[in-house]
């Protein structure tokens, strides 16, 4: 049985120098789905090459709401199987594979004057249904407590920034929240590499068949062909550019970024009812780094897909209006310090708007034998990867072990009490779990700097540390300032903060380069 080592495994590397020319499985795309496939296949004993045209988490996987969903919205649509699957995967992530990168997230639905009796009953029923899903998935109530009703006084005490006029109380439920989506992707990629997968960024697949890929090393421009027993396409909204027979109908979801002080005292997420709509909410999601995300929208997208989608002004205005109706402070455009948008990789179906398309994933084999895995969501990546590798292994007649990922902790994972007892700085523990010590030791070793310098925030309002940036370069395959600020950390979500953090990122790259010379 293969084993992982966070310090001795393969490193994530930009470009294709030294990459194998023949493997059991090539996976294209290093979002959550592709990294999940790489980990699943490597831990079944297969040789794996996993590539991305840009970087880890370059696509949709970094633009999510950063939530670990229990599948409530599927339950509301009668999709009981999908809802159960989501709840099971949420439990696996929060209790086994990534307790260090997830936390229970209280979510409060205020019962404002705009919420009628029927809507209130639906909300209450939904939360109770969500709790049934939790129990059905055997997730304990220490991890995700039971929902309850709050009086108006309790609600105002819990969220002082709420508008109190007409407030009748609230429902308080629980779901999962990620430390960060790109951090989950990076950790899955590191774990896959630790189990022997070759993980290469800046390696674009130009053409793919079931037994080979033609690649271009984006750092050198050189092209090369790698042969494989099977090829998995995990390129999300770009999946139909590599194979025929798939039609995607992407939809854009936009979030805003606010400073924490814009809505003071906000420690729980608030689901603001959209006036005039039944069962539609705008989420206000406090983050541990001093920001709040507000989302999200659902806009069909036509035409060529951009590498980095842009939020539209009408979406920004809509989100500000809905939140302003629920909170006592009227929000304005200049409260918005950042905004980001992502494209949902939804499979085309003939019925309904994109918001009603099924979010369940699909595994499809093309005429040339490429196995495409698409749809789903971050929460269910493990199951998507398992299904895709099952199909790929069977199709190619490969000999592989059984799937192990449901019981396989990612690097740095440990039970919550163990994490709570660690002595390393809380920020590093939140982002690296038990590997916080490795991050610090390796930063000390590569830089020769003292802890005061390695652990200080790199700029005003930017809690990121030089130690993390150095680790991004030495252990996580970061190649340039963009990788460090937009994916290994998320400073880039607030452009003004990003500008102040660029010198620190450049310094980390210089220190690591000087060390390797
Ligand atoms: C706004 C929004 C909010 C969401 N919120 C949540 C949430 O809170 N919780 C949740 O569970 N899910 C959420 N989701 C869903 C989830 O984010 C996506 O389902 C998931 O991230 C898709 O991941 P992926 O790996 O399939 O695709 P991507 O992350 O898009 O990865 C595809 C990768 O393929 C690479 N690629 C493309 N073409 C090539 C090529 N030719 N060669 C090499 N590489 C290539 C790209 O660079 C990219 O990195 C949300 C989605 C959106 C849009």
């Amino acid at each position: 049985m293969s084993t992982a080592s966070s310090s001795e495994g393969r490193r994530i590397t930009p470009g294709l120098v030294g990459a194998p020319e023949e493997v059991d499985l090539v996976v294209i795309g290093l979002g959550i789905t592709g990294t999940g496939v790489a980990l699943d296949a490597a831990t079944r004993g297969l040789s794996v090459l996993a590539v991305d045209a840009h970087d880890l988490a370059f696509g949709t996987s970094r633009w999510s709401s950063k939530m670990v969903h229990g599948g409530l919205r599927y339950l509301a649509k009668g999709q009981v199987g999908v809802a159960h699957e989501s709840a099971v995967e949420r439990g696996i992530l929060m209790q086994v594979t990534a307790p260090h990168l997830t936390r229970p997230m209280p979510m409060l639905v205020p019962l404002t004057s705009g919420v009628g009796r029927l809507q209130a009953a639906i909300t209450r029923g939904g939360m109770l249904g969500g709790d049934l899903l939790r129990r059905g998935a055997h997730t304990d109530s220490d991890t995700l407590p039971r929902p309850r009703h709050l009086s108006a006084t309790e609600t105002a005490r819990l969220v002082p920034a709420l508008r109190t006029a007409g407030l009748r109380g609230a429902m308080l439920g629980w779901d999962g929240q990620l430390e960060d989506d790109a951090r989950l992707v990076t950790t899955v990629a590191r774990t896959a590499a630790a189990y022997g997968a070759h993980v290469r960024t800046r390696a674009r697949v130009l053409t793919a068949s079931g037994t080979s890929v033609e690649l271009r090393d984006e750092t050198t421009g050189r092209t090369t062909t790698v042969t494989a027993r099977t090829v998995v396409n995990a390129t999300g909204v770009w999946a139909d550019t590599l194979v025929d027979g798939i039609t995607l109908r992407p939809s854009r979801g936009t979030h805003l970024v606010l400073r924490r002080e814009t809505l003071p005292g906000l420690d729980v997420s608030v689901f603001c009812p959209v006036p005039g709509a039944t069962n539609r909410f705008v989420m206000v999601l406090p983050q541990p780094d001093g920001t709040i995300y507000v989302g999200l929208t659902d806009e069909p997208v036509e035409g060529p897909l951009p590498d980095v989608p842009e939020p539209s002004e009408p979406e920004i205005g809509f989100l500000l209006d809905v939140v302003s109706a629920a909170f006592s402070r009227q929000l304005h455009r200049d409260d918005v310090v950042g905004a980001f948008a992502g494209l949902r990789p939804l499979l085309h179906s003939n019925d309904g708007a994109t918001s009603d398309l099924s979010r369940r994933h699909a595994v499809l084999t093309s005429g040339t034998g490429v196995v495409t895995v698409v749809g789903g969501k971050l929460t269910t990546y493990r199951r998507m990867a398992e299904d895709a590798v099952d199909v790929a292994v069977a199709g190619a007649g490969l000999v592989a072990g059984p799937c192990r990922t449901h019981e396989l902790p990612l690097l740095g994972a440990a039970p919550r009490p163990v994490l709570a007892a660690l002595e390393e700085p809380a920020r590093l523990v939140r982002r690296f779990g038990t590997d916080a010590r490795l991050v610090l030791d390796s930063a000390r070793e590569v830089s020769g700097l003292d802890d005061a310098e390695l652990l200080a925030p790199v700029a005003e309002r930017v809690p990121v540390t030089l130690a993390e940036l150095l680790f991004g370069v030495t252990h996580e395959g970061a190649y340039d300032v963009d990788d460090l600020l937009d994916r290994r950390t998320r400073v880039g979500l607030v452009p003004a903060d990003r500008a102040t953090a660029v010198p620190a990122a450049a310094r980390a790259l210089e220190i690591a380069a000087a060390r390797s010379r």
Side-chain angles (χ1 to χ4, degrees):
M1 186 185 284
S2 52
T3 54
S5 158
S6 42
S7 52
E8 291 159 22
R10 290 208 166 87
R11 294 284 158 91
I12 301 164
T13 317
L16 287 165
V17 174
E21 290 170 3
E22 199 181 327
V23 287
D24 290 328
L25 182 144
V26 168
V27 54
I28 315 166
L30 291 172
I32 192 61
T33 311
T35 53
V37 167
L39 176 61
D40 187 297
T43 53
R44 295 195 203 200
L46 300 178
S47 60
V48 176
L49 174 65
V51 296
D52 198 283
H54 301 275
D55 185 26
L56 305 177
F58 183 85
T60 302
S61 297
R62 67 174 151 143
W63 305 127
S64 81
S65 306
K66 291 116 178 75
M67 286 169 61
V68 194
H69 291 295
L72 193 53
R73 63 176 296 162
Y74 309 109
L75 196 62
K77 293 188 168 85
Q79 298 173 322
V80 179
V82 189
H84 177 69
E85 181 178 286
S86 201
V88 169
E89 293 302 324
R90 177 183 63 180
I92 292 173
L93 251 177
M94 295 189 74
Q95 296 183 311
V96 182
T97 53
H100 55 325
L101 302 179
T102 55
R103 58 185 154 257
M105 179 187 75
M107 47 184 203
L108 181 134
V109 183
L111 302 176
T112 58
S113 53
V115 178
R117 302 265 163 222
L118 176 64
Q119 174 68 43
I122 292 173
T123 302
R124 187 179 150 75
M127 288 221 178
L128 294 175
D131 198 50
L132 275 180
L133 283 173
R134 174 191 66 76
R135 277 191 269 169
H138 306 295
T139 305
D140 61 55
S141 59
D142 291 339
T143 304
L144 290 171
R146 298 202 169 94
R148 64 191 180 93
H149 181 267
L150 300 184
S151 69
T153 313
E154 284 176 299
T155 307
R157 202 179 306 129
L158 196 60
V159 188
L162 272 183
R163 191 180 289 271
T164 46
L167 187 67
R168 307 198 302 279
M171 284 301 298
L172 182 68
W174 297 77
D175 211 342
Q177 187 176 34
L178 286 167
E179 166 64 22
D180 177 50
D181 45 14
R183 182 113 302 272
L184 178 67
V185 174
T186 303
T187 309
V188 177
R190 269 187 67 226
T191 310
Y195 277 94
H198 296 263
V199 181
R200 299 299 182 118
T201 63
R202 269 101 186 160
R204 178 180 291 277
V205 172
L206 304 174
T207 59
S209 76
T211 51
S212 73
V213 288
E214 187 195 4
L215 290 147
R216 185 173 65 219
D217 180 329
E218 301 287 30
T219 68
T220 62
R222 289 179 56 184
T223 57
T224 181
T225 298
V226 172
T227 56
R229 301 281 303 279
T230 183
V231 173
V232 178
N233 172 21
T235 53
V237 284
W238 297 278
D240 55 3
T241 63
L242 289 174
V243 292
D244 293 330
I246 292 178
T247 310
L248 292 170
R249 215 173 123 191
S251 94
R252 187 177 60 239
T254 286
H255 290 85
L256 313 179
V257 186
L258 311 177
R259 298 269 187 217
R260 202 68 189 246
E261 57 267 26
T262 306
L263 298 172
L266 190 68
D267 292 322
V268 304
S269 64
V270 176
F271 283 44
C272 307
V274 174
T278 312
N279 226 10
R280 193 173 167 210
F281 302 92
V282 167
M283 302 178 292
V284 181
L285 305 163
Q287 305 295 315
D289 65 353
T291 60
I292 297 170
Y293 302 154
V294 173
L296 78 170
T297 56
D298 198 338
E299 295 290 321
V301 174
E302 307 291 342
L305 298 182
D307 277 355
V308 177
E310 292 284 338
S312 71
E313 282 302 322
E315 287 173 290
I316 294 173
F318 163 78
L319 294 171
L320 287 176
D321 286 348
V322 175
V323 176
S324 296
F327 283 82
S328 56
R329 186 182 184 290
Q330 174 71 39
L331 298 182
H332 300 288
R333 185 66 177 82
D334 58 9
D335 289 317
V336 178
V337 294
F340 58 92
L343 302 178
R344 298 177 185 84
L346 301 180
L347 273 174
H348 178 72
S349 87
N350 291 326
D351 52 339
T354 53
S355 60
D356 291 325
L357 291 179
S358 167
R359 259 67 162 175
R360 199 181 192 286
H361 62 274
V363 180
L364 309 157
T365 305
S366 75
T368 64
V370 176
V371 176
T372 295
V373 51
V374 71
K377 53 204 164 70
L378 241 116
T379 308
T380 53
Y381 83 93
R382 194 209 62 78
R383 179 61 194 272
M384 293 171 69
E386 177 178 351
D387 290 352
V389 176
D390 279 349
V391 170
V393 163
L398 281 163
V399 177
C403 175
R404 295 170 52 195
T405 51
H406 58 283
E407 55 183 19
L408 188 114
L410 299 179
L411 290 181
R416 288 179 198 280
V418 174
L419 294 168
L422 291 176
E423 286 172 0
E424 282 72 28
R427 176 178 169 85
L428 294 189
V429 173
R430 240 178 44 224
R431 299 177 64 78
F432 300 93
T434 57
D435 271 352
R437 164 118 330 245
L438 174 68
V439 173
L440 195 49
D441 284 349
S442 118
R444 285 175 185 144
E445 209 249 324
V446 75
S447 70
L449 297 172
D450 62 21
D451 286 5
E453 198 162 356
L454 289 171
L455 294 173
V458 295
E460 201 191 341
R461 288 183 179 274
V462 180
V464 170
T465 62
L466 187 60
E468 289 161 73
L469 296 175
L470 284 166
F471 194 74
V473 186
T474 56
H475 287 70
E476 298 177 339
Y479 179 65
D480 59 17
V481 166
D482 295 353
D483 289 0
L484 284 175
L485 297 184
D486 298 330
R487 291 170 289 274
R488 301 306 174 279
T489 70
R490 306 310 301 279
V491 187
L493 291 179
V494 179
D497 293 349
R498 189 186 197 284
T500 65
V502 166
R507 186 175 176 214
L509 287 157
E510 273 162 31
I511 292 173
R515 180 58 197 261
S516 62
R517 276 200 284 270

